């Protein structure tokens, strides 16, 4: 018994007409009839009742039809699963992240994935939130780590953690001891994210300064959190950064003051394509989600 026998049987069983079944299978009717006869001989069971007016399934034929349909459905499932496994064994998986997520977490994620999928080529890209969303929608990346909000029907979002804000300053250039003195910084120069690069985040920083009673003098802009911290260290201004940054920065020349009075946070989220159910994506998300910062 070969798969073609089952395929031919199922076509006749669904059409209950040899002529229509042969047209559906793109073969002539006599070969089709021979294939069905061979199948019946092998099974030693009559599958169809044939007469000049119609074709009907026997009781054995009805049972065989349901089993063959289930078999083909299972074969399709096996084929899809096999394809997914093959994609997980080799190929490429692209992860994008924002600069304010400290690198040790990303390194741990890649080590975890490499151990599970040693033949996959994992690629990392530092990209802004807006560009990550576009890249995910276009299939250019498989996963992103961004700061919300997200407005896309094509993307599934998983909240990773809520991040507060902290003032960052050069200890030699700026004399400040507590959050209560932040209003005194109104004449200082600030280093912020570029408005076009991170528009929502830029607006949040302006809102924070407004809470403390001043409009910041933005002299320098950058598209990378490490560049901002470096500019602050070089004495070119002060800034407000996600509090998460303080965990990865032990520079003795730089000071941080957490902004506890203002109730403003940003959501750091993991984003994937809504239809993506790959094993790699699932493993990556599951690895990160328990590690809520």
């Amino acid at each position: 018994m070969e798969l073609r026998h089952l395929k031919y049987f199922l076509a006749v069983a669904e059409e209950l007409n040899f002529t229509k079944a042969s047209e559906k299978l793109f073969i002539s009717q006599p070969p089709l009839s021979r294939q069905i006869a061979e199948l019946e001989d092998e099974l030693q069971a009559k599958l169809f009742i044939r007469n000049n007016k119609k074709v009907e399934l026997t009781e054995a034929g009805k049972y065989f039809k349901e089993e063959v349909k289930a078999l083909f459905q299972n074969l399709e499932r096996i084929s899809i699963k096999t394809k997914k496994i093959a994609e997980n064994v080799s190929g490429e998986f692209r992860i994008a992240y924002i600069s304010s997520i400290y690198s040790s977490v990303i390194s741990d994620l890649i080590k975890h994935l490499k151990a599970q999928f040693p033949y996959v080529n994992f690629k990392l890209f530092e990209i802004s939130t807006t560009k990550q969303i576009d890249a995910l929608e276009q299939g250019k990346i498989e996963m992103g780590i961004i700061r919300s909000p997200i407005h896309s029907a094509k993307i599934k979002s998983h909240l990773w953690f809520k991040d507060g804000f902290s003032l960052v300053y050069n200890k030699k250039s700026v004399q400040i001891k507590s959050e209560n003195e932040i209003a005194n910084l109104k004449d200082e120069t600030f280093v912020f994210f570029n408005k076009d690069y991170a528009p929502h985040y830029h607006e949040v920083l302006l809102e924070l300064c407004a809470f403390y009673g001043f409009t910041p003098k933005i002299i320098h802009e950058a598209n990378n959190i490490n560049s901002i911290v470096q500019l602050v260290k070089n004495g070119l201004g002060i800034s407000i950064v996600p509090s998460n940054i303080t965990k990865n920065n032990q520079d003795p020349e730089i000071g941080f003051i957490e902004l506890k009075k203002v109730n403003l946070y940003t959501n750091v989220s993991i984003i994937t394509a809504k239809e993506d159910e790959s094993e790699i994506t699932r493993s990556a998300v599951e690895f990160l989600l328990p590690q809520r910062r």
Side-chain angles (χ1 to χ4, degrees):
M1 187 186 304
E2 299 178 17
L3 278 177
R4 60 185 169 84
H5 288 114
L6 302 180
K7 181 180 177 183
Y8 292 163
F9 162 77
L10 202 55
V12 177
E14 289 174 345
E15 296 294 337
L16 293 177
N17 185 298
F18 276 81
T19 301
K20 290 182 179 179
S22 63
E23 291 173 352
K24 183 178 180 180
L25 294 166
F26 300 102
I27 63 172
S28 59
Q29 188 173 332
L32 176 60
S33 297
R34 284 197 301 272
Q35 297 290 334
I36 297 300
E38 287 178 9
L39 180 61
E40 289 178 322
D41 287 344
E42 185 170 350
L43 291 170
Q44 297 184 349
K46 202 75 173 173
L47 299 174
F48 295 100
I49 301 171
R50 308 171 181 81
N51 56 47
N52 293 331
K53 293 183 179 180
K54 61 182 178 179
V55 176
E56 294 182 42
L57 285 164
T58 64
E59 288 303 313
K62 291 176 182 177
Y63 167 78
F64 195 62
K65 177 187 176 183
E66 295 306 313
E67 291 298 316
V68 170
K69 281 178 67 177
L71 175 63
F72 275 109
Q73 288 170 354
N74 197 37
L75 281 173
E76 183 179 9
R77 179 190 62 78
I78 291 169
S79 297
I80 293 170
K81 183 66 174 179
T82 301
K83 182 175 182 291
K84 286 184 177 180
I85 292 172
E87 289 172 347
N88 290 344
V89 170
S90 62
E92 188 173 275
F93 192 86
R94 299 155 296 186
I95 302 173
Y97 63 97
I98 47 177
S99 63
S100 54
I101 298 301
Y102 54 99
S103 59
S104 63
V105 177
I106 306 298
S107 297
D108 290 344
L109 171 62
I110 297 302
K111 288 176 185 176
H112 167 77
L113 294 175
K114 267 294 184 185
Q116 285 190 299
F117 311 100
Y119 300 108
V120 175
N121 182 21
F122 291 98
K123 289 190 174 182
L124 294 174
F125 304 91
E126 186 181 297
I127 310 175
S128 69
T129 289
T130 304
K131 290 184 178 179
Q132 280 192 50
I133 292 172
D134 291 341
L136 191 57
E137 287 180 335
Q138 296 168 23
K140 294 179 179 179
I141 60 172
E142 280 64 55
M143 191 179 88
I145 300 174
I146 69 167
R147 289 189 185 273
S148 301
I150 305 151
H151 304 291
S152 173
K154 299 179 181 179
I155 289 176
K156 181 163 51 179
S157 174
H158 314 265
L159 176 63
W160 187 11
F161 63 93
K162 288 183 174 291
D163 201 359
F165 294 93
S166 293
L167 183 82
V168 56
Y169 62 98
N170 182 300
K171 292 179 179 178
K172 293 180 180 178
S173 304
V174 177
Q175 302 301 313
I176 184 171
K177 295 180 180 179
S178 73
E179 185 180 3
N180 295 327
E181 299 175 29
I182 290 179
N184 299 333
L185 302 175
K186 64 182 186 301
D187 295 323
E188 297 288 341
T189 58
F190 278 77
V191 183
F192 269 15
F193 268 106
N194 180 272
K195 185 177 182 179
D196 295 329
Y197 181 82
H200 176 74
Y201 189 67
H202 185 90
E203 291 301 318
V204 170
L205 296 183
L206 293 178
E207 189 176 344
L208 283 166
C209 291
F211 176 85
Y212 291 100
F214 65 92
T215 300
K217 294 180 180 179
I218 303 171
I219 304 298
H220 301 287
E221 291 186 340
N223 296 342
N224 180 285
I225 195 70
N226 297 315
S227 298
I228 289 175
V229 173
Q230 188 61 45
L231 288 169
V232 171
K233 179 179 177 178
N234 293 342
L236 297 177
I238 57 179
S239 189
I240 297 173
V241 297
S243 295
N244 186 58
I245 293 299
T246 64
K247 298 178 181 179
N248 200 42
N249 197 303
Q250 306 298 323
D251 195 315
E253 296 181 38
I254 296 174
F256 292 94
I257 294 177
E258 188 174 358
L259 307 183
K260 296 181 179 179
K261 291 184 177 181
V262 58
N263 190 28
L264 276 177
Y265 301 90
T266 61
N267 292 338
V268 177
S269 299
I270 304 162
I271 57 171
T272 58
K274 189 160 282 186
E275 305 301 323
D276 185 357
E277 296 181 355
S278 79
E279 292 294 318
I280 304 178
T281 301
R282 181 187 59 78
S283 179
V285 172
E286 287 180 356
F287 176 80
L288 290 175
L289 285 185
Q291 302 186 41
R292 298 182 187 275
R293 303 298 152 186

